[in-house]
Amino acid sequence: MSNFKTKIYNKINNSLSSEWNMLSDIAENASIFNSCGWFLASINTCSPNNYKIFACYDEDNLVAIIPLIFTRKYGIRTLCAAGYKFSGTPFLMKNYNPGLVGFFFDNIIHKLNVYIPKVDEKCAKVIHGLYPNMFITVASTNPYLQRPLVEIEN
């Protein structure tokens, strides 16, 4: 039985950065776009006045994290992924266990306006199963196709 709890951070410290990097090593959906380094680069670029990092722990182990900045969407103060116009799925999760996904998002969206523009297809299906009335759709998939290296002759 999992014993999930959430913590909200207003700043990144060395301990959180280390935990975040360890989660990146084992997470099902790890990518550059949900790494600690990407978020640090994003906040250094766009200089948000205020941000929050929602972290989910199972016992003392970080199992999910999403950093969000305050912005305005459609005139409403909203928490949104930093650099969302350029990035992939902004949250990092150890796995897409419905219990973890449900707990994590229940604690983030509770009484908050949250805008998450990009969610990968596998997680979108889990979220839709948990929240069937929530508007969520898979708009597009951008797979990375590895091409053979071709040398260009001068």
Side-chain angles (χ1 to χ4, degrees), residues 104-118:
F104 188 53
F105 284 104
D106 280 349
N107 282 278
I108 292 172
I109 62 176
H110 183 70
K111 296 184 181 180
L112 295 171
N113 295 313
V114 178
Y115 178 72
I116 301 174
K118 297 178 183 173

Side-chain angles (χ1 to χ4, degrees), residues 14 37 44 61 82 84 94 124:
N14 289 338
N44 286 334
N61 300 311
Y84 72 90
K94 183 177 178 183

Side-chain angles (χ1 to χ4, degrees), residues 131-144:
Y131 310 99
N133 295 326
M134 181 182 286
F135 179 70
I136 187 167
T137 184
V138 179
S140 66
T141 305
N142 298 307
Y144 171 75

Side-chain angles (χ1 to χ4, degrees), residues 20 24 29-39 42 86-89:
W20 195 335
S24 288
N29 70 326
S31 77
I32 187 68
F33 301 116
N34 53 30
S35 69
C36 184
W38 179 265
F39 180 67
S42 295
F86 311 106
S87 63
T89 302

Side-chain angles (χ1 to χ4, degrees), residues 2-90:
S2 296
N3 187 20
F4 297 126
K5 63 182 178 203
T6 19
K7 239 178 151 176
I8 301 172
Y9 294 90
N10 295 313
K11 298 286 179 208
I12 296 177
N13 58 36
N14 289 338
S15 175
L16 179 60
S17 176
S18 176
E19 290 176 310
W20 195 335
N21 290 330
M22 286 190 292
L23 178 58
S24 288
D25 291 340
I26 61 168
E28 181 171 326
N29 70 326
S31 77
I32 187 68
F33 301 116
N34 53 30
S35 69
C36 184
W38 179 265
F39 180 67
L40 290 172
S42 295
I43 62 172
N44 286 334
T45 301
C46 64
S47 303
N49 295 332
N50 199 356
Y51 63 86
K52 294 202 178 293
I53 301 169
F54 295 86
C56 182
Y57 291 86
D58 185 2
E59 300 295 331
D60 291 328
N61 300 311
L62 182 65
V63 291
I65 191 164
I66 184 169
L68 299 169
I69 61 169
F70 283 97
T71 187
R72 292 191 101 50
K73 287 282 172 212
Y74 313 108
I76 299 169
R77 190 167 190 248
T78 305
L79 283 165
C80 183
Y84 72 90
K85 293 177 183 173
F86 311 106
S87 63
T89 302

